[in-house]
Amino acid sequence: IQVFMYLKYIIREVLAMRNKEIKDYIKSKGIPMWKVAEQLGIADSSFSRMLRYEISDDKKKEIMHIADELATE
């Protein structure tokens, strides 16, 4: 049982690291995640789910560009 609990913990940690640079970038700009989602044309819950899985470099660039634009408003 302890091995199972440890593996569950490791999996949770790995999932948390996915797209961390995107999450940190948006946070550093002081932009709420829901505003980025709105600019992408999706619900904030969908955006959160999208970030659970590794996304393409093109999508990362698009999200960072949106965060930059929102930060200058």
Side-chain angles (χ1 to χ4, degrees), residues 25-54:
Y25 190 79
I26 293 169
K27 188 175 183 179
S28 76
K29 297 289 183 176
I31 307 298
M33 299 281 272
W34 68 264
K35 282 192 174 186
V36 176
E38 187 176 74
Q39 289 295 310
L40 287 169
I42 60 175
D44 57 342
S45 57
S46 297
F47 185 52
S48 294
R49 279 193 300 274
M50 179 194 329
L51 293 178
R52 290 181 194 163
Y53 306 97
E54 198 59 40

Side-chain angles (χ1 to χ4, degrees), residues 1-19:
I1 292 180
Q2 286 183 335
V3 172
F4 176 72
M5 296 295 285
Y6 179 71
L7 289 174
K8 189 175 176 181
Y9 168 78
I10 295 296
I11 290 169
R12 187 176 303 133
E13 290 298 310
V14 168
L15 289 175
M17 294 301 291
R18 288 193 175 146
N19 300 307

